[in-house]
PDB file of all heavy atoms in Angstrom:
ATOM      1  N   ARG A 144      62.433  -0.976 -91.143  1.00 92.00           N
ATOM      2  CA  ARG A 144      62.449  -2.328 -90.598  1.00 92.00           C
ATOM      3  C   ARG A 144      63.689  -2.582 -89.737  1.00 92.00           C
ATOM      4  O   ARG A 144      63.617  -3.283 -88.721  1.00 92.00           O
ATOM      5  CB  ARG A 144      62.347  -3.352 -91.724  1.00 92.00           C
ATOM      6  CG  ARG A 144      60.928  -3.459 -92.268  1.00 92.00           C
ATOM      7  CD  ARG A 144      60.824  -4.476 -93.380  1.00 92.00           C
ATOM      8  NE  ARG A 144      61.242  -5.811 -92.983  1.00 92.00           N
ATOM      9  CZ  ARG A 144      60.522  -6.653 -92.240  1.00 92.00           C
ATOM     10  NH1 ARG A 144      59.318  -6.265 -91.792  1.00 92.00           N
ATOM     11  NH2 ARG A 144      60.966  -7.857 -91.954  1.00 92.00           N
ATOM     12  N   ILE A 145      64.833  -2.039 -90.123  1.00 90.00           N
ATOM     13  CA  ILE A 145      66.039  -2.208 -89.314  1.00 90.00           C
ATOM     14  C   ILE A 145      65.861  -1.530 -87.949  1.00 90.00           C
ATOM     15  O   ILE A 145      66.310  -2.042 -86.916  1.00 90.00           O
ATOM     16  CB  ILE A 145      67.273  -1.649 -90.050  1.00 90.00           C
ATOM     17  CG1 ILE A 145      67.628  -2.572 -91.229  1.00 90.00           C
ATOM     18  CG2 ILE A 145      68.458  -1.500 -89.112  1.00 90.00           C
ATOM     19  CD1 ILE A 145      68.747  -2.054 -92.100  1.00 90.00           C
ATOM     20  N   LYS A 146      65.175  -0.405 -87.951  1.00 89.00           N
ATOM     21  CA  LYS A 146      64.910   0.293 -86.691  1.00 89.00           C
ATOM     22  C   LYS A 146      64.002  -0.544 -85.794  1.00 89.00           C
ATOM     23  O   LYS A 146      64.174  -0.581 -84.568  1.00 89.00           O
ATOM     24  CB  LYS A 146      64.275   1.653 -86.969  1.00 89.00           C
ATOM     25  CG  LYS A 146      64.043   2.489 -85.728  1.00 89.00           C
ATOM     26  CD  LYS A 146      63.467   3.848 -86.081  1.00 89.00           C
ATOM     27  CE  LYS A 146      63.226   4.681 -84.827  1.00 89.00           C
ATOM     28  NZ  LYS A 146      62.660   6.022 -85.158  1.00 89.00           N
ATOM     29  N   LYS A 147      63.021  -1.237 -86.393  1.00 84.00           N
ATOM     30  CA  LYS A 147      62.099  -2.057 -85.605  1.00 84.00           C
ATOM     31  C   LYS A 147      62.723  -3.385 -85.208  1.00 84.00           C
ATOM     32  O   LYS A 147      62.378  -3.965 -84.172  1.00 84.00           O
ATOM     33  CB  LYS A 147      60.814  -2.316 -86.402  1.00 84.00           C
ATOM     34  CG  LYS A 147      59.962  -1.077 -86.638  1.00 84.00           C
ATOM     35  CD  LYS A 147      58.702  -1.398 -87.400  1.00 84.00           C
ATOM     36  CE  LYS A 147      57.708  -2.170 -86.561  1.00 84.00           C
ATOM     37  NZ  LYS A 147      57.117  -1.341 -85.496  1.00 84.00           N
ATOM     38  N   ALA A 148      63.625  -3.897 -86.051  1.00 78.00           N
ATOM     39  CA  ALA A 148      64.276  -5.186 -85.781  1.00 78.00           C
ATOM     40  C   ALA A 148      65.764  -5.044 -86.055  1.00 78.00           C
ATOM     41  O   ALA A 148      66.229  -5.343 -87.156  1.00 78.00           O
ATOM     42  CB  ALA A 148      63.670  -6.286 -86.642  1.00 78.00           C
ATOM     43  N   PRO A 149      66.551  -4.557 -85.102  1.00 72.00           N
ATOM     44  CA  PRO A 149      67.990  -4.331 -85.308  1.00 72.00           C
ATOM     45  C   PRO A 149      68.712  -5.606 -85.715  1.00 72.00           C
ATOM     46  O   PRO A 149      68.203  -6.717 -85.539  1.00 72.00           O
ATOM     47  CB  PRO A 149      68.453  -3.848 -83.922  1.00 72.00           C
ATOM     48  CG  PRO A 149      67.216  -3.354 -83.246  1.00 72.00           C
ATOM     49  CD  PRO A 149      66.107  -4.210 -83.748  1.00 72.00           C
ATOM     50  N   PRO A 150      69.918  -5.479 -86.273  1.00 71.00           N
ATOM     51  CA  PRO A 150      70.709  -6.657 -86.667  1.00 71.00           C
ATOM     52  C   PRO A 150      70.901  -7.625 -85.508  1.00 71.00           C
ATOM     53  O   PRO A 150      70.909  -7.232 -84.331  1.00 71.00           O
ATOM     54  CB  PRO A 150      72.043  -6.039 -87.109  1.00 71.00           C
ATOM     55  CG  PRO A 150      71.690  -4.638 -87.511  1.00 71.00           C
ATOM     56  CD  PRO A 150      70.599  -4.215 -86.603  1.00 71.00           C
ATOM     57  N   ASP A 151      71.059  -8.909 -85.850  1.00 64.00           N
ATOM     58  CA  ASP A 151      71.255  -9.913 -84.812  1.00 64.00           C
ATOM     59  C   ASP A 151      72.653  -9.784 -84.201  1.00 64.00           C
ATOM     60  O   ASP A 151      73.418  -8.867 -84.536  1.00 64.00           O
ATOM     61  CB  ASP A 151      71.014 -11.321 -85.372  1.00 64.00           C
ATOM     62  CG  ASP A 151      71.976 -11.685 -86.497  1.00 64.00           C
ATOM     63  OD1 ASP A 151      73.068 -11.088 -86.576  1.00 64.00           O
ATOM     64  OD2 ASP A 151      71.631 -12.571 -87.300  1.00 64.00           O
ATOM     65  N   SER A 152      73.007 -10.735 -83.327  1.00 60.00           N
ATOM     66  CA  SER A 152      74.270 -10.649 -82.595  1.00 60.00           C
ATOM     67  C   SER A 152      75.491 -10.706 -83.517  1.00 60.00           C
ATOM     68  O   SER A 152      76.572 -10.263 -83.155  1.00 60.00           O
ATOM     69  CB  SER A 152      74.357 -11.799 -81.580  1.00 60.00           C
ATOM     70  OG  SER A 152      74.240 -13.052 -82.243  1.00 60.00           O
ATOM     71  N   GLU A 153      75.288 -11.231 -84.722  1.00 62.00           N
ATOM     72  CA  GLU A 153      76.386 -11.288 -85.687  1.00 62.00           C
ATOM     73  C   GLU A 153      76.347 -10.114 -86.671  1.00 62.00           C
ATOM     74  O   GLU A 153      77.121 -10.080 -87.630  1.00 62.00           O
ATOM     75  CB  GLU A 153      76.313 -12.606 -86.453  1.00 62.00           C
ATOM     76  CG  GLU A 153      76.493 -13.831 -85.561  1.00 62.00           C
ATOM     77  CD  GLU A 153      76.371 -15.128 -86.334  1.00 62.00           C
ATOM     78  OE1 GLU A 153      76.054 -15.066 -87.540  1.00 62.00           O
ATOM     79  OE2 GLU A 153      76.590 -16.193 -85.738  1.00 62.00           O
ATOM     80  N   GLY A 154      75.442  -9.173 -86.433  1.00 65.00           N
ATOM     81  CA  GLY A 154      75.364  -7.991 -87.282  1.00 65.00           C
ATOM     82  C   GLY A 154      74.622  -8.198 -88.585  1.00 65.00           C
ATOM     83  O   GLY A 154      74.724  -7.374 -89.503  1.00 65.00           O
ATOM     84  N   TYR A 155      73.852  -9.296 -88.671  1.00 68.00           N
ATOM     85  CA  TYR A 155      73.183  -9.628 -89.925  1.00 68.00           C
ATOM     86  C   TYR A 155      71.767  -9.059 -89.944  1.00 68.00           C
ATOM     87  O   TYR A 155      70.966  -9.304 -89.040  1.00 68.00           O
ATOM     88  CB  TYR A 155      73.131 -11.142 -90.114  1.00 68.00           C
ATOM     89  CG  TYR A 155      72.496 -11.585 -91.420  1.00 68.00           C
ATOM     90  CD1 TYR A 155      73.168 -11.416 -92.619  1.00 68.00           C
ATOM     91  CD2 TYR A 155      71.232 -12.157 -91.439  1.00 68.00           C
ATOM     92  CE1 TYR A 155      72.603 -11.822 -93.815  1.00 68.00           C
ATOM     93  CE2 TYR A 155      70.659 -12.563 -92.621  1.00 68.00           C
ATOM     94  CZ  TYR A 155      71.343 -12.398 -93.813  1.00 68.00           C
ATOM     95  OH  TYR A 155      70.769 -12.788 -94.994  1.00 68.00           O
ATOM     96  N   ALA A 156      71.463  -8.262 -90.977  1.00 78.00           N
ATOM     97  CA  ALA A 156      70.107  -7.750 -91.183  1.00 78.00           C
ATOM     98  C   ALA A 156      69.940  -7.446 -92.662  1.00 78.00           C
ATOM     99  O   ALA A 156      70.839  -6.883 -93.296  1.00 78.00           O
ATOM    100  CB  ALA A 156      69.872  -6.483 -90.350  1.00 78.00           C
ATOM    101  N   TRP A 157      68.810  -7.835 -93.227  1.00 83.00           N
ATOM    102  CA  TRP A 157      68.583  -7.545 -94.636  1.00 83.00           C
ATOM    103  C   TRP A 157      67.084  -7.493 -94.903  1.00 83.00           C
ATOM    104  O   TRP A 157      66.278  -8.004 -94.130  1.00 83.00           O
ATOM    105  CB  TRP A 157      69.247  -8.587 -95.531  1.00 83.00           C
ATOM    106  CG  TRP A 157      68.580  -9.934 -95.485  1.00 83.00           C
ATOM    107  CD1 TRP A 157      68.707 -10.882 -94.516  1.00 83.00           C
ATOM    108  CD2 TRP A 157      67.656 -10.449 -96.444  1.00 83.00           C
ATOM    109  NE1 TRP A 157      67.935 -11.964 -94.808  1.00 83.00           N
ATOM    110  CE2 TRP A 157      67.282 -11.740 -95.988  1.00 83.00           C
ATOM    111  CE3 TRP A 157      67.120  -9.970 -97.640  1.00 83.00           C
ATOM    112  CZ2 TRP A 157      66.374 -12.546 -96.686  1.00 83.00           C
ATOM    113  CZ3 TRP A 157      66.232 -10.776 -98.328  1.00 83.00           C
ATOM    114  CH2 TRP A 157      65.861 -12.041 -97.867  1.00 83.00           C
ATOM    115  N   SER A 158      66.734  -6.907 -96.026  1.00 89.00           N
ATOM    116  CA  SER A 158      65.325  -6.798 -96.396  1.00 89.00           C
ATOM    117  C   SER A 158      65.222  -6.626 -97.903  1.00 89.00           C
ATOM    118  O   SER A 158      66.053  -5.943 -98.520  1.00 89.00           O
ATOM    119  CB  SER A 158      64.674  -5.596 -95.687  1.00 89.00           C
ATOM    120  OG  SER A 158      63.305  -5.505 -96.016  1.00 89.00           O
TER     121      SER A 158
END
Side-chain angles (χ1 to χ4, degrees):
R144 284 180 58 76
I145 289 175
K146 184 178 180 180
K147 293 181 71 70
D151 61 23
S152 58
E153 297 178 355
Y155 182 72
W157 71 281
S158 181

